[in-house]
Amino acid sequence: MLILGIESSCDETACAIVKDGREVLSNVVYTQIPLHRPYGGVVPEVASRAHVEKISGVVGEAMKGGEVVDAVAVTYGPGLSSSLLVGLNAAKGLAMALGVPLIGVNHIEAHLHTPFLFDTGVAPTTDLAPETAMPALGLAVSGGHTTWVDMSAYGQYRIIGQTLDDAAGEAFDKAAKLLGLGYPGGPVIDRWAKGFWNGATDYADAAALKALAYPPGIKVREPMPRFPKGHPRAGTAALAGLDADLCVSFSGLKTALLYHVRKNPPKDDREKAQIAAAYQEAIVGTLADRTRMALCRRAYKALIVGGGVSLNGRLRAKLAEVAASMNVPLLLAPPKYCGDNAAMIAGLAYFKQTLTGDDALNVDVNPALQAGD
Ligand code: KG4
Ligand code: ZN
């Protein structure tokens, strides 16, 4: 079965065709990062305008192979409402024009399908089939979300932990802005931290920093700036009934960074990189701790991680340690499917058809949709 997916929830306009929920036949992503860079964050009006301009071209490009698709899938939430509207309406029109069903897909749940995607002719990153990996613990970490999901089966998701304020990606982006490192912050902080742990002296050469690997078993040989790990207080209303041990708060981390930099302005790039490295350790350590805690709650068959922040080299290494110590396989997406894309939308639609028929054709965007809704 061939499903065409459309994604436009934030700052990527994307379309893909996926066979039987896993094999990606075409995958087109137009990223708006350069448009938002001058503002240091996504500007909703700029985003929706760019989606309108690009969507037809992106869909046309993905359909260039002339495949006959059996259904159209689309993200209807969560995300920016004006961005979601563009993709949803394009998908409704396309489904009607092609005379095929429309399937509404939840963006966060789709991130948790990404480890199962593979390109034609390329081996999947995991031998596990999606159905046999359940029950799984899912961790969706991106610019908009930091959510731990108990996945009993496709379609049976329950949020067991989440951030009470900023998402991990947001925490990276805001820190990079404060340190003057650029946008988006995650990849730059990842590079500078890697440079620091490797004893780099030149931080101007981004490609050279990117090519480095994190040394195994990072050893701290000097006092590092200390940043909080964001344990929410049990009983806080924002927990909304969730276990405080599985939730996190990143807003204090950002404030701690602000005060640290005011009090100890970095004298050179190395000091800046040291701050970036310590800050990253706080985020990565927090995510790893909560994940370990969540893995203790149930006999999970896999740990599934998706979202832009899962590209982070330190996070990948830390989660691998946690998974190995708990004897659970860690399933990470191929790097090109970590960030927002439409292959994950088309892929999940094959396994989980929540919203179909007239329900899908009549659905409106849902900017605050949660995993499991
Ligand atoms: O999944 P994504 O493309 O979009 C959302 O759904 O939000 O995630 C984007 C986020 C940004 O905050 C970006 O800084 C972060 O992912 N990111 C990273 C890395 N690469 C992207 N964060 C940490 N380390 C990275 N290497
Ligand atoms: Zn996303």
Side-chain angles (χ1 to χ4, degrees):
M1 183 181 192
L2 296 189
I3 300 185
L4 177 140
I6 292 182
E7 154 66 34
S8 72
S9 66
C10 189
D11 58 344
E12 264 88 28
T13 320
C15 183
I17 298 177
V18 178
K19 185 180 171 194
D20 297 338
R22 296 194 62 188
E23 185 182 344
V24 185
L25 305 188
S26 76
N27 176 50
V28 181
V29 181
Y30 164 74
T31 178
Q32 305 175 358
I33 287 177
L35 298 182
H36 301 289
R37 185 167 281 130
Y39 308 99
V42 177
V43 182
E45 178 58 29
V46 172
S48 55
R49 190 178 284 257
H51 284 307
V52 171
E53 280 168 12
K54 295 292 174 184
I55 192 111
S56 301
V58 165
V59 172
E61 176 75 20
M63 295 181 79
K64 214 167 56 183
E67 287 92 355
V68 178
V69 300
D70 301 290
V72 172
V74 63
T75 309
Y76 70 101
L80 301 167
S81 50
S82 50
S83 286
L84 288 162
L85 270 171
V86 179
L88 182 60
N89 285 310
K92 284 180 179 177
L94 189 63
M96 281 193 260
L98 296 175
V100 297
L102 180 70
I103 306 166
V105 174
N106 178 314
H107 179 92
I108 309 176
E109 294 177 359
H111 270 304
L112 297 176
H113 178 67
T114 51
F116 300 110
L117 297 173
F118 62 90
D119 293 342
T120 305
V122 177
T125 55
T126 172
D127 294 335
L128 282 177
E131 300 89 340
T132 52
M134 311 282 167
L137 173 68
L139 166 59
V141 262
S142 70
H145 306 281
T146 300
T147 312
W148 286 266
V149 183
D150 174 275
M151 306 163 73
S152 285
Y154 271 88
Q156 279 179 47
Y157 305 112
R158 187 170 56 89
I159 294 181
I160 54 170
Q162 63 187 7
T163 176
L164 303 189
D165 36 62
D166 291 351
E170 235 175 319
F172 274 111
D173 293 340
K174 288 176 177 170
K177 198 170 179 179
L178 212 142
L179 292 168
L181 295 181
Y183 174 85
V188 204
I189 292 192
D190 196 355
R191 282 201 301 274
W192 279 60
K194 223 175 346 176
F196 176 77
W197 294 119
N198 278 290
T201 46
D202 179 8
Y203 287 89
D205 189 345
L209 291 181
K210 197 171 175 196
L212 294 171
Y214 282 96
I218 283 176
K219 295 234 172 20
V220 188
R221 299 186 198 284
E222 58 191 298
M224 293 284 283
R226 294 177 70 87
F227 294 112
K229 281 197 170 177
H231 288 276
R233 259 188 225 112
T236 306
L239 285 168
L242 294 174
D243 184 340
D245 283 343
L246 303 182
C247 289
V248 28
S249 158
F250 285 123
S251 62
L253 175 62
K254 196 179 56 195
T255 314
L257 175 67
L258 177 70
Y259 286 129
H260 177 84
V261 172
R262 268 195 201 153
K263 216 168 139 203
N264 319 277
K267 288 191 280 299
D268 51 28
D269 278 354
R270 190 183 173 281
E271 281 194 15
K272 226 187 233 189
Q274 184 186 35
I275 297 172
Y279 186 88
Q280 175 171 280
E281 287 302 293
I283 297 180
V284 167
T286 304
L287 295 173
D289 288 352
R290 304 306 191 277
T291 302
R292 183 189 302 275
M293 201 73 96
L295 283 172
C296 294
R297 301 291 160 97
R298 185 172 178 185
Y300 289 112
K301 288 199 197 147
L303 168 60
I304 294 180
V305 186
V309 179
S310 69
L311 281 168
N312 187 276
R314 259 310 263 167
L315 180 63
R316 287 186 163 234
K318 277 274 194 187
L319 290 177
E321 277 171 26
V322 169
S325 73
M326 301 292 295
N327 215 6
V328 171
L330 168 64
L331 311 189
L332 289 162
K336 69 198 257 201
Y337 299 123
C338 286
D340 286 348
N341 64 85
M344 66 185 195
I345 306 302
L348 180 61
Y350 177 80
F351 289 95
K352 188 196 172 203
Q353 310 204 343
T354 336
L355 214 56
T356 52
D358 284 349
D359 287 346
L361 285 175
N362 292 328
V363 76
D364 199 355
V365 298
N366 186 343
L369 191 68
Q370 301 249 38
D373 278 358

